Amino acid sequence: MSLINITNVIVLDNPTAFSNPFQFEITFECLQELCDDLEWKVIYVGSAEDSAHDQTLEEVLVGPVPVGINKFVLQAPSPNFDLIPKTDILGVTVVLVTCSFMNHEFIRIGYYVNNEYADPIDPEQPLPNPLELSKIYRNILADQPRVTRFPIDWSGQSYHNNNNNNNINNNNMNEQNIQIPELSAEEIPNVNENDEEINMNNIEDDEEDEEDDEEDDDEMDEVDIAEESEDEDDEEEEDSEEVDEESLDENNPMELLNEDSMDVSKMQSMI
């Protein structure tokens, strides 16, 4: 059940010049004390084809609202002439009066507005350029309102819940921004005294292994040296034997005689 009932709306100063403010005398009934103010808006539809041209002419808070019958005049300035498409300045458009409670709209009253030019305009001819604002008049069809109602939560619980959820989400985002990642037990290196002793033992074992390897290398080097010396002795003995044989050949007179005899015979043949 709605706690606010609009009982009557009277459009004041109508028809009037386009540049004059809008005025609505609103009467409504409040059935129960409200925990917040009422927000009233006046919206001018600049173009039926594009909502981007809509202009919010007035926003006003009314409250605290007493229980019972209430009446006030809602006044809004005329729309900005320069923000309206030139082709939509004249002709029929809409003005809206809305009311919201705790950011929830619960009623919307729409009126058709007819803007006319004071001078006669031939529909087959283009519009005067520029249009003179002082010659434009506005006529609101006050006897043909279009009223739309929306059910809302009048307790305000949904509003507070939404705010609480937004605060919780913001807090969670802040916590996520400053949260430091924690390492798992497997990722944390486990260092203790026993591990240090084991590492020291490993180092000592490595040193002993290196010493043993060096001793083995030294022994291998000694064996190689001994073998090389024996090979050299054998080669020297063989060389001495060859030298002795050559010396024996040189001291052989038969060979010398034969060589000389060969030379002599050759010489004789040549003579």
Side-chain angles (χ1 to χ4, degrees):
M1 182 183 68
S2 177
L3 300 183
I4 298 294
N5 293 325
I6 309 298
T7 58
N8 191 26
V9 177
I10 300 175
V11 179
L12 304 177
D13 191 20
N14 185 56
T16 187
F18 182 86
S19 58
N20 289 347
F22 289 89
Q23 297 184 63
F24 303 94
E25 183 184 85
I26 301 173
T27 304
F28 66 94
E29 181 182 11
C30 180
L31 302 179
Q32 183 177 318
E33 184 177 355
L34 303 177
C35 60
D36 200 4
D37 297 339
L38 298 177
E39 182 181 16
W40 295 85
K41 292 182 181 181
V42 178
I43 302 171
Y44 185 86
V45 178
S47 173
E49 298 178 355
D50 190 355
S51 60
H53 297 290
D54 293 354
Q55 298 183 42
T56 300
L57 305 180
E58 186 61 272
E59 292 181 81
V60 61
L61 293 176
V62 176
V65 180
V67 177
I69 303 297
N70 299 271
K71 180 188 294 186
F72 74 103
V73 175
L74 177 61
Q75 181 170 307
S78 62
N80 188 334
F81 183 79
D82 296 330
L83 299 180
I84 303 173
K86 300 303 181 183
T87 57
D88 293 321
I89 293 176
L90 301 180
V92 178
T93 186
V94 173
V95 63
L96 301 173
V97 178
T98 70
C99 189
S100 302
F101 178 74
M102 302 190 79
N103 290 337
H104 290 85
E105 182 181 341
F106 64 90
I107 191 169
R108 178 182 300 175
I109 306 171
Y111 293 94
Y112 289 109
V113 180
N114 186 26
N115 296 317
E116 297 179 347
Y117 206 60
D119 295 339
I121 296 177
D122 186 354
E124 296 181 358
Q125 298 295 325
L127 295 175
N129 189 18
L131 290 172
E132 295 183 24
L133 181 60
S134 60
K135 294 183 178 182
I136 301 175
Y137 288 86
R138 179 185 66 226
N139 183 18
I140 300 176
L141 305 182
D143 58 342
Q144 300 178 13
R146 296 292 183 268
V147 181
T148 305
R149 293 179 174 85
F150 308 95
I152 66 170
D153 179 15
W154 289 93
S155 65
Q157 189 65 33
S158 60
Y159 175 80
H160 292 299
N161 290 338
N162 290 334
N163 284 341
N164 292 334
N165 291 333
N166 291 333
N167 292 333
I168 292 172
N169 292 333
N170 292 333
N171 292 333
N172 291 336
M173 290 296 294
N174 293 332
E175 291 176 359
Q176 290 177 0
N177 291 333
I178 63 175
Q179 185 177 4
I180 299 175
E182 297 181 357
L183 295 176
S184 63
E186 296 177 354
E187 295 175 339
I188 299 175
N190 187 12
V191 179
N192 51 38
E193 295 180 356
N194 294 331
D195 292 338
E196 293 179 357
E197 292 177 358
I198 293 171
N199 293 333
M200 291 301 294
N201 292 333
N202 291 334
I203 294 171
E204 292 176 358
D205 292 339
D206 293 338
E207 292 178 353
E208 291 177 358
D209 293 338
E210 290 178 358
E211 292 176 357
D212 293 338
D213 292 338
E214 291 177 358
E215 292 177 358
D216 293 338
D217 293 338
D218 294 338
E219 292 176 357
M220 292 296 293
D221 293 338
E222 291 176 358
V223 172
D224 292 337
I225 293 169
E227 291 178 355
E228 289 177 358
S229 61
E230 290 177 358
D231 294 337
E232 291 177 356
D233 293 338
D234 293 338
E235 290 177 357
E236 290 176 357
E237 290 177 358
E238 291 177 357
D239 293 337
S240 62
E241 291 176 357
E242 292 178 357
V243 171
D244 292 339
E245 290 177 358
E246 291 177 356
S247 61
L248 289 174
D249 294 337
E250 292 175 355
N251 296 325
N252 189 350
M254 294 300 293
E255 290 185 356
L256 293 173
L257 180 61
N258 293 333
E259 289 178 357
D260 292 339
S261 59
M262 290 177 65
D263 294 337
V264 172
S265 60
K266 288 180 179 180
M267 290 176 68
Q268 291 175 351
S269 62
M270 289 177 67
I271 296 170

